């Protein structure tokens, strides 16, 4: 290369460098302006508003004193810790309609301005997202890529897995590296992310323990996590489903096994009343009781617990509202 060519090349490099430098403040301004209007990984979009979580758990979750207490403590401890040792893994256990999905929604709303619509919140329903057992390897590969890509972009992601009793065990076992005590996996730090698993596992064990306490004449509120801890671990590890002999349990990577208790009639009445209130309609207590009487209860002799919790309340309330509207015409 001739001397003139070398000078021209050097000049070109300098000019390109100057051009890039001129664009840097423009890029920074665009990024800051973009985060003002569009969700970004940081404040104000990621809020860590544990006060809001506490308010929602107190005002809108019925009959779940153990779950409310443990969830608030674990979420608060994790998000306010600048250097957690591992990703937070919570296991919500119990029958349908008792608040597991409801609470996971409250968690998302307390941590992200966009709530469940946040790009950093990912919800998977086993029967919808992983329906075919023969495609488990494909699901594993896709899920692994999504988890790595999401946390690679933002360290504070929330992953919610519903119906884990319907999931293939390999899908949950695949997540072990991301929940373990590693500073980084493939160059990515997962320790500030949260994984929540929802399932019907151990529902019969939870109901049995709660029922026995009732038979002993003691208040439901005397139950503590200690009363369930051992039985929950045994049941989830041995029952058929996604956690059967799973390394997440064997290696103690689940941070809290959280029992959701079966709902009594008093809690169902509160659910019905809440739905009525949201509809802007007031009804007397006798109407609430009539609606509650349409639900199934167990055990058969005492009819103590709602078989499906508060599931189906909205539909029955809609029927009552339609009847009221028809009567007023």
């Amino acid at each position: 290369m001739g001397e003139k060519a070398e000078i021209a090349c050097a000049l070109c490099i300098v000019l390109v460098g100057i051009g890039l430098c001129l664009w840097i403040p423009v890029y920074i301004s665009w990024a800051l302006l973009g985060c003002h209007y569009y969700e970004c990984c940081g404040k104000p979009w990621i809020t860590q508003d544990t006060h809001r979580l506490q308010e929602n758990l107190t005002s809108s979750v019925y009959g779940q004193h153990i779950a409310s207490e443990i969830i608030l403590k674990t979420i608060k401890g994790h998000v306010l810790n600048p250097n957690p040792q591992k990703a937070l893994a919570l296991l919500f256990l119990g029958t349908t309609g008792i608040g597991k999905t409801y609470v996971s929604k409250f968690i998302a709303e307390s941590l992200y301005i966009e709530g469940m619509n946040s790009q950093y919140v990912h919800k998977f329903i086993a029967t919808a997202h992983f329906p075919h057992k023969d495609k488990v390897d494909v699901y594993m590969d896709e899920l692994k890529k999504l988890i790595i890509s999401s946390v690679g972009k933002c360290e504070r992601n929330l992953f919610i897995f519903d119906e884990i009793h319907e999931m293939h065990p390999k899908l949950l076992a695949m997540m072990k590296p991301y929940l373990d005590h590693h500073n980084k996996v493939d160059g990515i730090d997962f320790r500030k992310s949260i994984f929540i698993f929802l399932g019907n596992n151990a529902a019969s064990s939870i109901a049995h323990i709660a029922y026995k306490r009732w038979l002993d004449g003691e208040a439901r509120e005397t139950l503590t996590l200690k009363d369930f801890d051992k039985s929950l671990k045994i049941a989830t590890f041995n029952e058929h489903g996604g956690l059967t002999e799973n390394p997440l349990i064997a290696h103690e990577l689940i941070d809290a096994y959280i029992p959701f208790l079966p709902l009594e009639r008093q809690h169902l009445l509160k659910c019905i009343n809440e739905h009525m209130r949201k509809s802007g309609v007031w009804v007397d207590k006798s109407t609430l009781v009539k609606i509650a009487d349409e639900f199934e209860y167990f055990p058969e002799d005492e009819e103590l617990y709602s078989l499906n919790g508060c599931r189906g309340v909205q539909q029955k309330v809609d029927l009552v509202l339609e009847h009221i509207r028809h009567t007023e015409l």
Side-chain angles (χ1 to χ4, degrees):
M1 183 183 291
E3 183 178 352
K4 290 183 178 180
E6 290 179 354
I7 294 173
C9 185
L11 181 60
C12 181
I13 293 172
V14 171
L15 290 174
V16 169
I18 293 172
L20 288 174
C21 288
L22 291 173
W23 274 102
I24 287 175
V26 175
Y27 173 78
I28 293 174
S29 298
W30 177 85
L32 292 174
L33 184 62
C35 286
H36 182 75
Y37 293 103
Y38 303 103
E39 187 181 30
C40 291
C41 180
K43 293 181 178 181
W45 299 101
I46 298 180
T47 61
Q48 301 175 5
D49 188 356
T50 56
H51 294 293
R52 180 180 181 182
L53 177 59
Q54 183 175 12
E55 289 174 0
N56 283 332
L57 291 173
T58 302
S59 64
S60 302
V61 179
Y62 308 123
Q64 305 299 349
H65 67 284
I66 299 173
S68 294
E69 179 185 357
I70 302 303
I71 289 167
L72 181 62
K73 285 182 178 179
T74 53
I75 293 292
K76 190 173 183 179
H78 185 77
V79 300
L80 298 182
N81 185 349
N83 189 32
Q85 294 184 347
K86 63 182 290 296
L88 180 63
L90 301 178
L91 183 54
F92 294 179
L93 300 167
T95 190
T96 60
I98 54 178
K100 301 189 300 292
T101 302
Y102 211 40
V103 170
S104 64
K105 173 176 164 289
F106 287 152
I107 292 172
E109 291 173 349
S110 69
L111 300 182
Y112 305 91
I113 288 292
E114 296 292 315
M116 293 297 294
N117 295 320
S118 171
Q119 63 177 312
Y120 308 119
V121 176
H122 317 271
K123 182 174 181 179
F124 305 90
I125 302 171
T127 52
H129 294 96
F130 317 115
H132 305 294
K133 303 297 182 184
D134 58 337
K135 293 185 178 181
V136 63
D137 291 332
V138 175
Y139 297 147
M140 286 173 61
D141 185 57
E142 292 176 347
L143 184 57
K144 181 179 180 180
K145 288 179 180 177
L146 185 144
I147 292 174
I148 292 174
S149 172
S150 299
V151 182
K153 295 174 183 176
C154 182
E155 60 189 0
R156 291 201 180 275
N157 270 255
L158 172 62
F159 300 93
I160 302 170
F161 296 89
D162 200 356
E163 299 181 346
I164 60 166
H165 51 282
E166 299 286 354
M167 287 179 68
H168 195 290
K170 289 172 66 176
L171 273 171
L172 293 175
M174 177 273 297
M175 301 180 209
K176 179 182 177 296
Y178 315 125
L179 300 180
D180 215 330
H181 296 75
H182 302 303
N183 289 348
K184 290 185 178 181
V185 178
D186 294 331
I188 298 173
D189 188 350
F190 291 86
R191 293 175 296 174
K192 292 184 179 179
S193 289
I194 299 175
F195 291 75
I196 300 177
F197 305 99
L198 287 64
N200 293 356
N201 313 65
S204 58
S205 297
I206 294 170
H208 175 74
I209 293 171
Y211 180 55
K212 186 178 183 302
R213 184 62 57 93
W214 180 81
L215 287 176
D216 291 340
E218 297 184 46
R220 174 191 186 94
E221 288 72 26
T222 63
L223 289 165
T224 67
L225 184 61
K226 187 177 180 180
D227 294 311
F228 296 90
D229 203 32
K230 185 177 180 180
S231 62
L232 293 185
K233 290 179 182 179
I234 294 173
T236 51
F237 192 72
N238 293 311
E239 283 184 8
H240 175 73
L243 289 171
T244 306
E245 299 182 2
N246 200 287
L248 299 185
I249 296 178
H251 293 265
E252 299 187 350
L253 298 179
I254 302 296
D255 296 294
Y257 295 75
I258 302 176
F260 279 69
L261 307 180
L263 298 183
E264 298 175 7
R265 180 182 288 263
Q266 60 169 316
H267 306 121
L268 182 60
L269 286 169
K270 290 180 179 180
C271 287
I272 297 169
N273 190 52
E274 176 68 9
H275 278 79
M276 283 292 189
R277 186 189 63 80
K278 288 181 178 179
S279 300
V281 176
W282 181 89
V283 295
D284 57 26
K285 187 175 181 180
S286 63
T287 301
L288 297 178
V289 171
K290 286 180 182 178
I291 298 174
D293 287 342
E294 296 182 19
F295 286 79
E296 294 183 71
Y297 296 87
F298 73 99
E300 187 175 346
D301 294 335
E302 288 87 2
E303 294 192 344
L304 179 62
Y305 304 116
S306 171
L307 185 61
N308 295 304
C310 286
R311 178 165 290 186
V313 165
Q314 183 63 65
Q315 291 83 348
K316 293 187 184 300
V317 166
D318 287 343
L319 288 173
V320 172
L321 293 177
E322 182 59 30
H323 175 72
I324 292 173
R325 295 189 190 99
H326 182 74
T327 303
E328 291 177 346
L329 291 177

